[in-house]
Amino acid sequence: MRYGETGYNLEIDLSRGNIERAETDPRLTELHLGGLGTNAKILFDRVKPETEPFSPENLLIFSTGLLGGTPAPGANRTIITTYSPQTLLMGYSMMGGFWAPELKYAGYDKVILRGKSSDLVYLWIHNDKVEIRDASHLAGKGAVETQELIRKELKEPNAQVAAIGLAGENKVYTASIEQGRSSASRLGIGAVMGDKGVKAIAVRGTKDVNLARPAEFLELCNEVLKYIKYRNENPVPNVMTILQGLGSPQEMLHVDEKWHTENFMWGNARTRRKDYWNKEIEEKWKETQLGVRKRLISCYNCPMKCGAIISVPGLSTYMMKCFSKLTYTMAAYSDLDFGFRIAQKATEYGVDGFSTPQIMAFAFELKEAGILTDADFEGCPSDNEGKFYWLLDRIVRREGIGDVLANGTYWAAKEIGKGAEGYAHNNIKKHEQLPLKLGMLNPVYFLMYATGEKANITQIEGQFPQAPFATMEEREEFVKDWIQVPDEKFKQIVLDWEMRGERSNPYYPTVDMSVDIVDWQEMMHYIDDALGVCAGLSSFPLKPPYHIHNYPKLISAATGIDMDEAGLAQVYRRNRNLIRAINVRKGLRRADEKPPEDHWKKRFPELEEKLLDAYYAFKGWDNQGVPTKKSLRQLDLGYIAEDFEQRGIIKNGQD
Ligand code: SF4
């Protein structure tokens, strides 16, 4: 009997139309837990690094996490893994909603797609019955619309459907996978799904998930729920509103956007509008948001309600959460009403709401600079909003200049030439970032930006405060009930951290402290992504209900695996190194590990080199960021050391 997980994956060969239910090795669960950890193991073992993202040999893996579908609050993430067309590295993106628990109830931990279908298809997984079905009638349909059409066709109103829109079908690098109340948007995974000829995966499951020690597990889940209630009633004081609570930033709840509109950048991540927010705008935006927001909604088994159903008159409804309410608005120098309207279209097309607006703002900046010309924009309306709608259409259809832009700013700039690369100024590892530009280098954020394998800062940061508290009273108040720290030393760092002077950024936290802080934050993200627990209840917010002290108990009670804090930290290190190894095989080295050049005005090259050196040494990597043989062997990853030797990445005999 397997506990927590089902012990079976669905292996689907789209080229042959072959479907197989494959039993998995329980030893891999002990080594990697599940979710991202076992996805990475499969990718390392089965996909050669030379494989192109749009090759039939590339895999697209949809995974539940080890705790997915159990009563653990927020254990609902679908972890989707492949080789990214955007970064040419391992791409992994996640979505909440309801899909992963449904897959587990159907009796599977993962769906592994290989090959390519010559015709557009969708998959229908209904417990033991699995079919590949024709989807030619769904070609060109919206990602949200498709979900409803499939539910009707199957006469299964409770089926959970993950679908791509036109952008995915056309292999736009920013294509997302949309699913009811969530989406997996980053790193071009929707493009790989489109390349495989899969429009959607529908799932309905009615089986049980077995738990090793159910009573104990439920008791632990109740403690988590109690703590969520406590935190909701006790927001963290002395930090900005969106950092006070749990969940994904509660952007659908809050209407005050002074902080984002005055601190994030407008246009192509260029202009800061310091006095933008005023009473009149506040009133207007509040009216807009409350007018279109039908109700706040949660993912499966979570009380947090981070998302909202949005209904703009004349348009079909869609779901929104987090910062995407502002990305189109600010890229186009427009207002919130425009943001909500164009996001509806973009969601149906199935595109990443972070990258896509930036790509469009980049294109119009290139036109202003004379690098792109009128001929590139033939037929484009002259009004600001019309321009953005027009270009969005061209991008998702890959028409004209849209075909170039569909590959993101990094690749588009290379193709356009004539100095365009200077305008693609907001990328890490070829991937577009949040339009945020700051003053003084923050050493912790430098490391997270530079070294994160997700190439996406919002999914790396977390439990450590983003900035020092102004007074000692505030610091003492913060640390007094900080039960989540893995070590008391983190409290002292917060107590000593000043806004100015010797103990302030960039030299404080010190290099070693910064490495420790980043390691803790990474650890929690890697554990969440293996367990399938939403970062919004664990690695992302301050003082979350899940942490390194209660996770081992939850894992043990759910799965029967004997887990303690040291063992869990070892699994994290193993998964961290495994993913690093996949990317090292794909060519990732120190030179790739850098934030956008203009992310901070004040840079400290010597300090930055020291930070990277210390981080690599701490991880057991060489000065290029390559794990050493010794550290790999200590993590039961000796087979990676051998692979590195065979490929000449590390030399024979070198340790
Ligand atoms: S915290 Fe928010 S995003 Fe996370 S599972 Fe709950 S509702 Fe979904």
Side-chain angles (χ1 to χ4, degrees):
M1 170 90 76
R2 300 281 276 271
Y3 298 107
E5 61 187 350
T6 68
Y8 289 94
N9 291 340
L10 255 186
E11 298 266 2
I12 301 184
D13 185 330
L14 294 155
S15 302
R16 296 177 177 186
N18 195 45
I19 300 168
E20 196 187 329
R21 179 174 175 261
E23 192 168 359
T24 58
D25 179 355
R27 170 79 182 134
L28 291 182
T29 310
E30 284 170 22
L31 287 170
H32 302 283
L33 295 178
L36 178 65
T38 36
N39 279 11
K41 174 69 176 149
I42 291 167
L43 206 65
F44 184 93
D45 286 349
R46 290 174 45 183
V47 190
K48 292 192 185 101
E50 302 77 28
T51 307
E52 298 289 337
F54 294 144
S55 155
E57 309 303 319
N58 191 13
L59 297 180
L60 182 64
I61 309 170
F62 290 72
S63 184
T64 66
L66 185 56
L67 295 185
T70 70
N76 53 45
R77 258 44 202 168
T78 306
I79 302 99
I80 308 171
T81 306
T82 190
Y83 282 167
S84 161
Q86 181 75 58
T87 62
L88 303 181
L89 301 170
M90 173 175 160
Y92 56 104
S93 193
M94 270 153 267
M95 59 187 181
F98 293 73
W99 196 90
E102 198 71 33
L103 183 70
K104 220 172 224 187
Y105 301 146
Y108 312 100
D109 299 314
K110 297 184 199 292
V111 179
I112 304 172
L113 304 181
R114 67 177 185 276
K116 283 189 196 196
S117 167
S118 48
D119 304 309
L120 194 65
V121 296
Y122 76 90
L123 310 178
W124 170 222
I125 302 166
H126 188 187
N127 294 326
D128 297 339
K129 194 177 104 195
V130 183
E131 294 172 48
I132 301 174
R133 296 174 69 118
D134 173 50
S136 52
H137 57 300
L138 299 170
K141 298 285 184 204
V144 181
E145 186 189 6
T146 296
Q147 297 168 40
E148 206 36 54
L149 288 170
I150 288 179
R151 274 192 283 267
K152 278 201 184 125
E153 182 172 312
L154 296 171
K155 298 190 180 60
E156 282 285 350
N158 294 323
Q160 300 300 332
V161 186
I164 55 169
L166 193 54
E169 288 179 47
N170 288 334
K171 296 191 259 181
V172 172
Y173 286 9
T174 59
S176 61
I177 299 172
E178 303 285 330
Q179 186 265 305
R181 297 175 176 192
S182 200
S183 75
S185 301
R186 305 290 277 165
L187 297 160
I189 47 163
V192 177
M193 187 157 160
D195 179 64
K196 297 213 169 289
V198 177
K199 179 71 179 172
I201 309 180
V203 189
R204 180 76 180 115
T206 53
K207 299 184 186 183
D208 292 330
V209 172
N210 300 312
L211 295 168
R213 302 195 291 274
E216 183 185 331
F217 187 72
L218 283 176
E219 184 54 37
L220 291 162
C221 293
N222 281 336
E223 282 173 23
V224 168
L225 280 172
K226 257 190 244 160
Y227 190 81
I228 293 173
K229 188 164 179 288
Y230 164 80
R231 275 289 279 106
N232 286 343
E233 288 162 0
N234 294 276
V236 175
N238 308 312
V239 295
M240 66 181 94
T241 319
I242 56 165
L243 299 179
Q244 289 174 357
L246 298 173
S248 148
Q250 300 286 322
E251 283 292 309
M252 295 298 113
L253 181 67
H254 300 305
V255 290
D256 180 356
E257 288 301 342
K258 180 176 171 57
W259 188 78
H260 276 129
T261 54
E262 295 190 348
N263 288 289
F264 279 41
M265 312 302 275
W266 294 66
N268 180 26
R270 294 282 184 196
T271 317
R272 190 161 165 192
R273 298 168 89 179
K274 276 190 178 160
D275 299 312
Y276 177 78
W277 197 249
N278 59 37
K279 209 70 218 142
E280 195 189 329
I281 291 172
E282 186 175 354
E283 283 305 315
K284 191 172 168 223
W285 283 34
K286 186 174 171 188
E287 197 186 318
T288 300
Q289 183 162 325
L290 299 185
V292 300
R293 191 185 79 193
K294 292 305 146 204
R295 64 192 164 90
L296 295 171
I297 51 169
S298 277
C299 306
Y300 177 81
N301 191 22
C302 179
M304 287 310 299
K305 294 189 178 165
C306 301
I309 299 284
I310 303 295
S311 180
V312 181
L315 302 176
S316 56
T317 56
Y318 67 104
M319 190 286 304
M320 180 182 270
K321 71 172 186 195
C322 203
F323 183 59
S324 42
K325 109 185 179 194
L326 293 179
T327 53
Y328 291 96
T329 299
M330 291 175 68
Y333 294 93
S334 188
D335 65 12
L336 193 58
D337 177 59
F338 167 72
F340 277 121
R341 277 185 290 115
I342 194 168
Q344 186 273 342
K345 192 156 210 191
T347 307
E348 285 289 11
Y349 280 149
V351 287
D352 176 5
F354 277 18
S355 303
T356 314
Q358 285 299 299
I359 295 168
M360 294 194 281
F362 158 82
F364 290 120
E365 203 176 85
L366 290 186
K367 183 163 181 280
E368 266 169 44
I371 295 173
L372 290 177
T373 65
D374 286 347
D376 294 313
F377 291 88
E378 205 186 326
C380 181
S382 57
D383 69 293
N384 191 36
E385 296 184 358
K387 276 168 29 185
F388 272 76
Y389 277 108
W390 180 88
L391 191 54
L392 179 61
D393 267 354
R394 302 279 91 64
I395 291 172
V396 300
R397 293 175 199 283
R398 281 193 173 273
E399 287 173 2
I401 192 63
D403 189 29
V404 179
L405 296 167
N407 295 345
T409 63
Y410 174 87
W411 296 107
K414 269 192 168 330
E415 193 172 339
I416 294 165
K418 296 184 268 182
E421 279 169 300
Y423 293 77
H425 67 124
N426 202 29
N427 290 306
I428 299 176
K429 295 173 181 142
K430 309 180 179 68
H431 188 45
E432 191 72 43
Q433 300 299 313
L434 271 185
L436 189 58
K437 303 290 170 192
L438 302 165
M440 174 62 77
L441 180 103
N442 175 323
V444 172
Y445 272 76
F446 168 82
L447 279 179
M448 290 191 295
Y449 265 113
T451 62
E453 311 288 331
K454 274 186 195 171
N456 188 2
I457 188 65
T458 54
Q459 292 175 12
I460 305 167
E461 64 189 342
Q463 310 207 0
F464 198 82
Q466 294 189 1
F469 292 97
T471 65
M472 187 51 83
E473 288 71 39
E474 288 178 10
R475 292 171 210 162
E476 282 170 351
E477 176 160 16
F478 182 79
V479 303
K480 75 172 192 265
D481 60 353
W482 203 10
I483 55 167
Q484 294 78 4
V485 285
D487 190 302
E488 292 295 300
K489 69 186 171 192
F490 292 105
K491 293 184 179 173
Q492 197 58 47
I493 301 174
V494 167
L495 290 170
D496 292 342
W497 196 13
E498 306 274 359
M499 297 181 95
R500 270 169 284 280
E502 274 179 17
R503 287 194 171 158
S504 70
N505 290 344
Y507 295 108
Y508 199 91
T510 64
V511 168
D512 289 343
M513 289 172 187
S514 298
V515 169
D516 272 340
I517 293 166
V518 173
D519 188 64
W520 167 26
Q521 305 205 59
E522 278 186 333
M523 173 169 75
M524 298 318 300
H525 278 280
Y526 275 78
I527 295 170
D528 289 346
D529 298 348
L531 298 180
V533 172
C534 174
L537 295 178
S538 177
S539 44
F540 189 68
L542 297 167
K543 301 187 177 175
Y546 290 110
H547 42 79
I548 192 64
H549 309 301
N550 63 2
Y551 258 155
K553 296 178 202 159
L554 281 146
I555 294 167
S556 299
T559 64
I561 295 171
D562 193 14
M563 185 64 77
D564 58 15
E565 288 183 29
L568 189 53
Q570 184 77 343
V571 173
Y572 145 63
R573 283 190 285 269
R574 185 175 300 122
N575 287 347
R576 175 77 183 90
N577 275 269
L578 174 57
I579 292 169
R580 168 59 49 148
I582 291 172
N583 284 336
V584 162
R585 288 204 316 185
K586 300 284 286 176
L588 178 77
R589 296 293 185 277
R590 187 184 184 114
D592 303 300
E593 306 230 274
K594 51 187 181 200
E597 215 56 59
D598 59 353
H599 186 77
W600 293 281
K601 258 200 198 111
K602 293 187 187 163
R603 298 288 296 264
F604 298 81
E606 235 179 86
L607 173 65
E608 292 172 19
E609 293 306 317
K610 276 190 192 153
L611 282 161
L612 268 187
D613 284 340
Y615 177 87
Y616 289 163
F618 182 94
K619 296 281 182 198
W621 301 348
D622 71 11
N623 74 352
Q624 285 300 308
V626 177
T628 61
K629 268 207 279 191
K630 188 174 160 199
S631 57
L632 288 168
R633 284 185 183 138
Q634 282 168 351
L635 295 166
D636 305 294
L637 299 174
Y639 63 92
I640 295 180
E642 282 166 29
D643 182 88
F644 278 5
E645 272 187 351
Q646 278 166 18
R647 292 173 187 278
I649 294 170
I650 48 182
K651 293 197 178 69
N652 280 335
Q654 177 193 328
D655 223 357

